[in-house]
Amino acid sequence: MTKPDQEFVITLAQLNPTVGDVEGNAAKARTARARAAADGADLVVLPELFITGYPPEDLVLKPAFQAACRSAIETLARETADGGPAMLIGSPWVEEGKLYNACALLDGGRVSALRFKANLPNYGVFDEKRLFARGPASGPVMVKGVRIGVPICEDIWLEESEDYENIVECLAETGAEILVVPNGSPYARDKTDVRLSIVVARVTESGLPLMYLNQVGGQDELVFDGASFALNADLSVAAQLPDFAESITTLRWSRDNGTWRCMGAIAPLLEGDKADYAACVLGLRDYVRKNGFPGVLLGISGGIDSALCASMAVDALGRDAVRGVMLPFRFTAQVSLDDAAKLADNLGIRYEVLPIADAVNGFEKILSGTFKGLSRDITEENLQARARGTLLMALSNKTGAMVVTTGNKIGNVSWLCDALRRHERRFQPDQGSLQERGVSALEFAQFVEAGRRARPLRRSYSSSHHQPTADRRTAGKPDRPGFATALRHP
């Protein structure tokens, strides 16, 4: 059945890619296009750099990876020769020796258009100026006779300045009818209000309806909440996708007096503590599954911290993938033992008790000569924690399960300060090199303590850098969720 010229159908594919899994991500895009075709869509849109997974970081600099991404895009492009919906998908793209953060329009069996991200974020968790070349301001792309403007993520976040080009203004002046914005925007509490206020400003400036498509899922320390949405040109909400879940949603736009308008479903969004908890669960689930761990294990003390972390782990992975270990010493109260056992029973997880007295007493015996004449202090207390950590890591190494630490924020800060003191005494990094890369000594201590051989940990992103200049509604919180620290076994 042929649609009237006054209707345009767009499918938003709010999906969860995996960084580096080009074939798997392409398969997800293919599934989304099949759904879009079944819905009679003209265009299916996927998030920023979807074919790589976001953020790809230094992986995107490898020529072999660039070639694999391009090959996957060209394969997807050939499949559009079937006359079905066009596809707009994010991918790295090398053009004239420069690497761009691009969106490729696939239609008619070929890559029919490319648009490059012009404004590259370089703060907080974002490091794009080091990875990509800045793209030029470009006009809209043509899809089935409709001019679609494609600003990419940061291209809508800030006003025009010496460093930022007003891409939306350029698109409006060159005839765009609808704005489609692929994003990779991490979660923070109240971030949906920040995004909405930014989109309100861009719609007000341009007079154009806008679709904001965000990815969903966890990637290392980042969590992407999805929560994609669309605004009509009169600032009414055209559609709202759910948060913390994949969603393939088809929106039917109709043209009235030259303006496109849509009235889609409005999904409710989580707020406050419920949203934070959902971010914790999603981040843990994806970290475990995307890294191939068979499950997790954690020390259970009978206290609130371990109870909350165990509950999150069960919600994220299911009870069969969670193992609780009680590690009592002579100072452990019976009520703690009872509460730990009750928690494990309520959650239905595997539970065992491994007393640490032999390990602690063994350490003290080894150190007795060295410590002779010295009074007992926090050193002996810390031996308990060290023994517990050693046993948990031994279980992790033997079973492949990932250890989830159960300390709260204050505990984590104290642990990091202690780690910093210890590592500065026994290892002196190249301070000049670290400073040049913007890595603090505290961050390096995290890197060393976790036993990870990957890049140094990223700093928190403050969304104050991303405040709109019109219709400010709220200031965002740090863009890294505070879920229980998950340490991969070395």
Side-chain angles (χ1 to χ4, degrees), residues 128-308:
E128 292 195 23
K129 287 185 178 179
R130 184 176 63 85
L131 301 174
F132 299 107
R134 180 171 183 162
S138 301
V141 298
M142 187 71 75
V143 183
K144 316 294 185 186
V146 179
R147 295 185 296 275
I148 304 295
V150 190
I152 303 172
C153 197
E154 188 82 357
D155 288 338
I156 72 165
W157 277 82
L158 296 180
E159 298 282 358
E160 183 176 4
S161 67
E162 182 178 346
D163 294 325
Y164 281 82
E165 192 164 2
N166 194 329
I167 301 301
V168 171
E169 180 181 69
C170 174
L171 289 166
E173 291 176 349
T174 52
E177 300 174 62
I178 301 174
L179 299 176
V180 176
V181 188
N183 287 267
S185 176
Y187 169 78
R189 180 178 283 206
D190 299 328
K191 187 69 170 289
T192 52
D193 286 338
V194 177
R195 294 173 188 144
L196 179 60
S197 60
I198 289 164
V199 170
V200 164
R202 302 293 87 81
V203 172
T204 301
E205 293 168 0
S206 65
L208 299 174
L210 188 152
M211 281 173 282
Y212 183 100
L213 174 63
N214 192 25
Q215 80 169 40
V216 68
Q219 175 57 38
D220 288 344
E221 76 273 29
L222 300 178
V223 175
F224 299 89
D225 54 318
S228 306
F229 63 96
L231 289 190
N232 290 308
D234 63 2
L235 302 182
S236 61
V237 178
Q240 175 66 67
L241 276 62
D243 49 3
F244 304 107
E246 290 189 316
S247 176
I248 300 176
T249 300
T250 298
L251 303 178
R252 299 185 180 278
W253 294 80
S254 58
R255 184 156 45 192
D256 183 23
N257 294 324
T259 300
W260 291 99
R261 184 174 181 81
C262 173
M263 291 301 293
I266 309 295
L269 299 180
L270 298 173
E271 296 180 349
D273 291 343
K274 291 182 178 180
D276 290 347
Y277 187 89
C280 294
V281 169
L282 178 58
L284 178 59
R285 178 189 299 128
D286 276 2
Y287 191 91
V288 170
R289 292 181 176 173
K290 290 181 180 181
N291 285 284
F293 293 105
V296 299
L297 61 92
L298 68 163
I300 293 181
S301 65
I304 293 175
D305 292 348
S306 61
L308 179 58

Side-chain angles (χ1 to χ4, degrees), residues 3 9 95 109 200 244 301 313 338-339 380 408 422 430 471:
K3 296 188 300 297
V9 183
E95 189 90 2
V200 164
F244 304 107
S301 65
D338 295 341
D339 287 349
E380 283 75 14
N408 58 26
R422 287 184 284 109
D430 182 350
D471 192 30

